[in-house]
Amino acid sequence: MIDKKNLSETDIRTKFITPAIEKAGWSKDIHFLEEVSFTDGQIYVRGKLTTRGSKKRSDYILYYKPNIPIAIIEAKDNKHSLGAGIQQALDYAKILDIPFAFSSNGDGFLFHDKTATNQSVEKEIALNEFPSPEELWNKYLEYKGFKTKESQQIISQDYFFDGSGHKPRYYQQIAVNRTIEAIVAGQNRILLVMATGTGKTYTAFQIIYRLWKVKAKKRILFLADRTALIDQTRRGDFKPFKDKMTVIKKKIVMDSSNKERLVSNKKRGIDTSDKAYEIFLGLYQGLSNGEDLIEQAYKDFSPDFFDLIVIDECHRGSAKDDSAWREILNYFKNATHIGLTATPKETEKISNSDYFGDPVYTYSLQQGINDGFLAPYSVVRIGLNVDLEGWRPPKGFKDKDRQEVEDRIYNRIDFDKKLVIAERRELVAKKITEFLKGYDRFAKTIIFCCDIEHAEGMRKALINENADLVSENDKYIMQITGDNLEGKRELDNFTSRTEKYPVIVTTSELMTTGVDAQTCKVIVLDSNINSMTKFKQIIGRGTRINEEFDKRYFTILDFRNATDLFADKEFRDKEFYGDPIRVKSIDQNADLSNIANEIDNQEVIIDEISNEEICFQAPQIRQPIEYKEDLEKQKRQKIYVKGIDVSLLVSREMYFDKNRQPIITSLTDHTKGIIQDKFVSLNDFLKKWNSADRKEAIIKELEEQGILIEALSQAVDKELDLFDLICHIVYDQPPLTRKERAENVKKRNYFTKYGEQARKVLESLLNKYADEGIENIESMEVLRVNPLVEFGSVMEITNIFGGKEQYLQALRELENELYKGA
């Protein structure tokens, strides 16, 4: 007789759970996967070091058909109760959009049924009572109201598989399934909101493929606003449609009156009624033109020609009642319309939801960062004196054309748009170069400028700062703007994983949207950004991860305080975009060459999934829409001046509290309020601190309460640990630096009670505390790094003290000595 209490969780799964579900009709080859990881693990960043946290993993996911998940099972060993895993199962079921959750310890199952409408939502069932695939599927169909054979056939239609092993991520799977179900339920206007870099086009392909394959939608139009995106879609995700697919193009010719005229599809030999084509890719500029003299190409199609229209980047046009997109959509009003966007527009005049309704699914940048599918980012804010204080020309001051400059105060809004200060551009170029020299001079970098003239001027200023690398290859720095054909030809090389050049590009509007640069590691903001949509799109330029290229995070250098938009109500209410890793402001004496190496967060980071300490280790491109700008006109409209004193000033630091809200009080007042709510007096705090076996646990607790330890340390004194910071800020006690506390311990000859080797270990730990802080010496990982590693392995070091428990006791006594008399 097997004693289940002695079996591991793996044994429970192998001997009891797996046989039970297989006996119920679930085939391992078709219906279920074990130990399924459905995220990649969040990327943590410390200075230039990165590492991934744990992946979210379920013990079992059960599928009615591939990519149509229907149940989840969490297993525990038999020392746990039957329902010990149900909460985790429910948490994962919510993330994965799965209706049935089970927990088991090998004795049976606790079954939680989200589709139940009576009191049997949760019940215990025996091992031999596990429901079959058909039982759960029928319960699901009944819950959703899919009663007809036709509706059931559509929602169970297979995904496309090409044999490569590529399959949808969990959120793409949810987006596809929810969209299919919404269409089957009769919804004809559907909105999907998915962050940049999360595979909207691949998701659209799977939606279209499943509906097309089951013949629920026979003729489909994919509508976009960039030629390169259409070409990329045709060659990439939509390639399996092969000869069933065509691209609708407009052709402009000159008529007898020497005016442009659009040649319709029929006249250029394409019969739009030819049913050999079922998937149509269309550029909306190619289908519609506002001029009355030009025939509108979409009217070559009958209003009922298309069954389904998918609108990519639908925030850009279809949200507006009078847009060219809306005109096309209104013409094909009987078709089902699916809108895709990463930046939904909701204003008084423009609304995606007014047209499409609320999103059937939203996958945010914040969630993408947490899951490890998208890159986190940090912000460095550089404040220039003329930007923050303004500049007023002295009386009689003349520009480069010897014209007197109007006497008024010029500010950040004017610079590079109306008035060009040569020294300002030179300083911006110098600071960008300074940063890259300390980070990586070949880190792909996009610099967003006010317009084409500004982009051209910044290119010149950067070339002068980087003459050494430009002399090696003149494509090291390039201007990529709507008027620059040579630059635009280099866009694919800039975003390529294999091409070294160009490295730094200056742009205005051209690269604001549509460029998903897997290689981009640095984004520079030197443009006044007033549009929240544009701000979000710019953030999205760097969110793709490419680990082969060593791209796991990116940095934003902000010269215009554009990142003030993080505090905007629209940004915060949507909870769509993730906050930065850090927002750091610099003063007039700051040198940016080492800022990328700085480590603000010295504290131990605990992985929220594995509860283990994080250990750090060293570390299809879309062509954007063309913007026509008149460079010479821009130059004529600007005032050019030289001889201005431009320098860096202290700019305000931006901090976020535990609820991701910007802190509007001072950092010290914010800290004092939290501590005084928790500890009324200094004695209360000292009692808690001195009685704790691990100070790191208190530090973690205070962080969860909202104490911004790293920011506090930077603002007050980096040489103080959290204990002295709190005693000083909250209770007005004179602080001691870590080195002073360490020296006091050495003076007391405390180590004489230990043997020679043990003394050396403790002295090394003490020095480690002086350099890095208390929480770093409490981790066993400290024994694996220099200089502790010189004493041997972890086991060999603990054996010096007589074993692990004796080592930990010696460590606690060392901590008591550090805070003695406090």
Side-chain angles (χ1 to χ4, degrees):
M1 187 68 178
I2 299 175
D3 184 359
K4 290 184 181 178
K5 300 296 182 188
N6 294 327
L7 297 180
S8 67
E9 181 186 307
T10 301
D11 290 333
I12 291 293
R13 291 206 312 265
T14 303
K15 296 179 184 296
F16 297 98
I17 299 176
T18 299
I21 61 179
E22 286 181 326
K23 188 176 179 180
W26 300 85
S27 167
K28 191 167 187 177
D29 295 332
I30 301 173
H31 291 116
F32 71 89
L33 296 172
E34 289 189 65
E35 297 189 293
V36 187
S37 294
F38 56 89
T39 70
D40 277 0
Q42 182 176 350
I43 294 175
Y44 293 92
V45 182
R46 176 169 282 172
K48 287 201 295 187
L49 308 181
T50 61
T51 192
R52 280 194 182 270
S54 300
K55 299 178 180 181
K56 289 181 179 175
R57 180 182 61 82
S58 175
D59 291 326
Y60 295 85
I61 298 180
L62 279 56
Y63 300 83
Y64 178 68
K65 297 186 82 172
N67 295 107
I68 304 178
I70 192 170
I72 191 167
I73 305 172
E74 285 302 313
K76 297 293 181 183
D77 62 41
N78 201 250
K79 296 184 182 71
H80 290 81
S81 67
L82 190 69
I86 196 65
Q87 192 56 58
Q88 185 177 5
L90 288 171
D91 288 344
Y92 285 174
K94 182 177 181 181
I95 294 170
L96 298 172
D97 208 25
I98 291 175
F100 306 114
F102 297 84
S103 171
S104 179
N105 64 354
D107 289 340
F109 296 92
L110 181 64
F111 175 22
H112 187 101
D113 181 1
K114 292 185 178 181
T115 69
T117 56
N118 51 33
Q119 293 182 347
S120 59
V121 173
E122 198 163 278
K123 62 183 179 181
E124 293 185 9
I125 59 175
L127 287 172
N128 62 2
E129 294 176 329
F130 195 85
S132 69
E134 292 301 326
E135 284 181 81
L136 291 184
W137 184 242
N138 288 333
K139 284 172 71 69
Y140 181 73
L141 293 176
E142 183 179 356
Y143 172 68
K144 289 285 188 176
F146 300 139
K147 297 179 179 179
T148 67
K149 185 177 179 180
E150 180 185 15
S151 65
Q152 294 171 13
Q153 186 180 8
I154 295 172
I155 65 170
S156 62
Q157 171 61 40
D158 291 336
Y159 278 68
F160 173 80
F161 295 100
D162 60 4
S164 67
H166 179 54
K167 59 182 181 181
R169 290 171 172 169
Y170 84 85
Y171 61 85
Q172 295 170 334
Q173 187 176 266
I174 295 171
V176 173
N177 293 339
R178 284 197 184 179
T179 302
I180 299 291
E181 290 182 1
I183 291 172
V184 172
Q187 191 171 330
N188 279 324
R189 301 291 181 265
I190 296 166
L191 180 63
L192 281 175
V193 179
M194 298 170 66
T196 300
T198 55
K200 291 191 295 295
T201 308
Y202 176 70
T203 301
F205 163 73
Q206 289 288 3
I207 292 168
I208 293 169
Y209 176 84
R210 290 179 67 197
L211 292 169
W212 171 74
K213 195 69 176 176
V214 79
K215 301 188 184 305
K217 302 293 180 184
K218 297 178 181 178
R219 286 185 292 202
I220 297 148
L221 171 63
F222 181 85
L223 192 60
D225 72 338
R226 292 180 299 281
T227 301
L229 178 56
I230 291 291
D231 292 340
Q232 177 190 313
T233 301
R234 178 177 55 83
R235 295 192 308 266
D237 290 322
F238 281 39
K239 187 177 180 181
F241 289 128
K242 300 179 181 176
D243 58 354
K244 299 294 183 183
M245 173 175 57
T246 188
V247 177
I248 305 168
K249 296 180 179 178
K250 74 174 180 179
K251 183 179 179 182
I252 300 295
V253 298
M254 305 303 292
D255 65 12
S256 58
S257 60
N258 209 31
K259 293 181 178 179
E260 287 187 344
R261 181 171 61 85
L262 178 71
V263 177
S264 72
N265 292 308
K266 289 180 180 178
K267 289 180 181 178
R268 56 189 173 86
I270 294 178
D271 184 356
T272 56
S273 65
D274 188 349
K275 293 185 180 179
Y277 295 119
E278 298 175 36
I279 311 297
F280 294 77
L281 307 181
L283 187 70
Y284 90 83
Q285 295 100 324
L287 294 177
S288 176
N289 192 298
E291 296 181 22
D292 294 335
L293 294 173
I294 297 180
E295 183 181 359
Q296 292 171 313
Y298 67 84
K299 291 185 178 177
D300 287 339
F301 301 88
S302 69
D304 293 322
F305 185 83
F306 294 111
D307 303 310
L308 172 66
I309 300 178
V310 178
I311 308 99
D312 190 36
E313 305 291 0
C314 67
H315 65 273
R316 190 168 295 126
S318 58
K320 297 173 66 175
D321 290 337
D322 58 352
S323 70
W325 292 52
R326 184 65 70 84
E327 186 180 351
I328 297 170
L329 298 184
N330 288 340
Y331 183 78
F332 298 115
K333 64 183 177 182
N334 294 329
T336 298
H337 299 169
I338 301 174
L340 307 175
T341 183
T343 53
K345 279 190 178 180
E346 296 297 329
T347 68
E348 291 182 3
K349 296 181 179 179
I350 303 173
S351 172
N352 285 116
S353 60
D354 277 355
Y355 184 80
F356 292 102
D358 293 333
V360 296
Y361 184 62
T362 297
Y363 188 73
S364 68
L365 174 59
Q366 181 68 66
Q367 189 62 50
I369 291 172
N370 292 345
D371 287 342
F373 296 129
L374 296 178
Y377 58 101
S378 60
V379 176
V380 179
R381 294 156 59 94
I382 305 103
L384 307 182
N385 62 339
V386 291
D387 290 352
L388 300 174
E389 297 178 342
W391 176 75
R392 182 178 180 181
K395 186 176 181 179
F397 190 90
K398 295 181 179 180
D399 65 13
K400 72 169 188 175
D401 295 325
R402 307 304 299 164
Q403 299 294 315
E404 189 169 319
V405 179
E406 180 186 355
D407 181 14
R408 70 176 181 86
I409 295 176
Y410 295 87
N411 55 36
R412 192 166 54 212
I413 296 174
D414 298 307
F415 299 141
D416 297 299
K417 199 72 177 173
K418 297 179 179 178
L419 183 136
V420 177
I421 299 177
E423 288 80 5
R424 187 190 180 283
R425 289 186 177 179
E426 291 166 4
L427 182 58
V428 170
K430 178 181 178 181
K431 287 300 171 182
I432 294 169
T433 305
E434 201 174 83
F435 173 81
L436 292 175
K437 284 180 177 179
Y439 176 52
D440 175 3
R441 292 191 76 185
F442 285 90
K444 295 292 180 95
T445 301
I446 304 175
I447 302 167
F448 288 97
C449 302
C450 294
D451 53 30
I452 287 180
E453 185 280 330
H454 185 199
E456 183 184 73
M458 281 306 304
R459 174 188 169 274
K460 292 177 183 176
L462 284 160
I463 284 175
N464 291 334
E465 290 292 333
N466 295 273
D468 55 339
L469 293 183
V470 174
S471 65
E472 293 177 11
N473 191 308
D474 59 12
K475 291 184 177 180
Y476 176 74
I477 300 168
M478 294 198 74
Q479 173 189 343
I480 300 182
T481 49
D483 71 324
N484 191 300
L485 293 178
E486 182 182 356
K488 286 195 291 184
R489 282 195 292 267
E490 293 296 327
L491 182 58
D492 284 349
N493 289 333
F494 174 74
T495 54
S496 169
R497 291 172 292 176
T498 57
E499 294 296 329
K500 189 174 183 178
Y501 300 100
V503 176
I504 302 173
V505 300
T506 64
T507 189
S508 54
E509 295 287 349
L510 187 63
M511 297 177 71
T512 301
T513 63
V515 181
D516 297 327
Q518 296 182 27
T519 57
C520 178
K521 295 183 178 181
V522 182
I523 288 174
V524 180
L525 304 180
D526 195 26
S527 174
N528 300 309
I529 301 171
N530 300 315
S531 162
M532 179 61 70
T533 298
K534 182 176 178 180
F535 177 62
K536 291 175 178 178
Q537 288 168 342
I538 287 175
I539 292 174
R541 296 315 97 212
T543 54
R544 287 188 181 271
I545 293 170
N546 190 313
E547 301 203 54
E548 291 181 8
F549 191 78
D550 197 33
K551 160 69 183 303
R552 298 179 185 87
Y553 71 98
F554 65 105
T555 303
I556 298 174
L557 301 184
D558 179 13
F559 286 90
R560 302 267 180 160
N561 277 9
T563 49
D564 281 347
L565 288 170
F566 285 131
D568 189 277
K569 187 174 185 296
E570 180 186 343
F571 189 97
R572 313 237 51 87
D573 284 353
K574 293 298 179 184
E575 294 183 359
F576 188 81
Y577 285 81
D579 288 320
I581 306 161
R582 69 170 183 174
V583 179
K584 184 177 182 64
S585 299
I586 65 168
D587 62 26
Q588 59 189 7
N589 299 314
D591 182 347
L592 267 67
S593 62
N594 196 46
I595 199 165
N597 297 297
E598 289 184 4
I599 300 174
D600 289 345
N601 48 331
Q602 296 282 357
E603 77 280 359
V604 172
I605 299 175
I606 303 299
D607 190 293
E608 64 176 17
I609 297 172
S610 68
N611 290 320
E612 295 178 354
E613 181 182 330
I614 292 290
C615 296
F616 288 87
Q617 300 173 351
Q620 296 291 301
I621 308 311
R622 304 192 311 190
Q623 184 83 12
I625 186 171
E626 294 188 7
Y627 291 84
K628 295 181 180 179
E629 299 181 69
D630 188 335
L631 177 59
E632 290 306 314
K633 185 178 179 182
Q634 289 174 9
K635 288 181 178 179
R636 289 194 301 271
Q637 291 177 339
K638 294 184 181 183
I639 303 167
Y640 295 81
V641 298
K642 287 190 70 172
I644 311 302
D645 176 25
V646 181
S647 61
L648 299 184
L649 282 183
V650 178
S651 66
R652 69 178 177 85
E653 193 80 61
M654 181 185 289
Y655 302 108
F656 296 89
D657 65 18
K658 64 177 182 177
N659 297 316
R660 301 185 182 278
Q661 297 296 317
I663 295 169
I664 56 176
T665 62
S666 72
L667 191 58
T668 54
D669 286 345
H670 173 75
T671 304
K672 187 181 293 187
I674 292 173
I675 295 297
Q676 288 178 339
D677 281 346
K678 192 169 182 62
F679 305 105
V680 176
S681 67
L682 175 61
N683 286 337
D684 290 336
F685 174 68
L686 294 178
K687 184 177 178 181
K688 176 75 171 179
W689 184 271
N690 291 326
S691 64
D693 286 340
R694 284 173 60 88
K695 313 304 182 195
E696 188 260 336
I698 300 179
I699 294 171
K700 185 70 176 175
E701 183 181 341
L702 292 176
E703 278 186 313
E704 291 172 354
Q705 293 292 318
I707 301 294
L708 306 180
I709 296 172
E710 59 190 82
L712 199 63
S713 177
Q714 291 286 332
V716 180
D717 190 336
K718 291 188 289 186
E719 302 303 316
L720 304 181
D721 66 12
L722 183 61
F723 174 84
D724 282 285
L725 283 171
I726 288 174
C727 289
H728 178 56
I729 291 170
V730 182
Y731 302 110
D732 297 321
Q733 299 298 304
L736 293 176
T737 65
R738 293 191 299 271
K739 288 183 179 179
E740 287 172 337
R741 289 194 175 277
E743 287 300 318
N744 287 344
V745 173
K746 292 176 183 178
K747 290 174 184 177
R748 290 197 288 268
N749 293 320
Y750 156 70
F751 297 122
T752 55
K753 60 189 278 189
Y754 295 99
E756 181 180 358
Q757 282 294 93
R759 278 202 308 273
K760 289 181 179 179
V761 170
L762 291 171
E763 286 172 355
S764 295
L765 287 170
L766 194 60
N767 292 333
K768 203 78 173 170
Y769 159 80
D771 291 336
E772 300 177 4
I774 192 69
E775 61 271 29
N776 288 300
I777 70 170
E778 291 186 329
S779 167
M780 296 298 287
E781 288 299 315
V782 75
L783 302 181
R784 293 189 171 94
V785 298
N786 287 325
L788 279 304
V789 72
E790 297 173 3
F791 297 103
S793 66
V794 172
M795 182 176 291
E796 288 171 333
I797 294 172
T798 55
N799 284 341
I800 293 173
F801 294 83
K804 183 178 179 180
E805 285 304 317
Q806 290 85 346
Y807 165 77
L808 293 174
Q809 179 58 36
L811 183 61
R812 282 192 288 271
E813 291 177 4
L814 175 60
E815 290 184 351
N816 290 338
E817 287 294 319
L818 278 168
Y819 299 104
K820 199 169 187 177

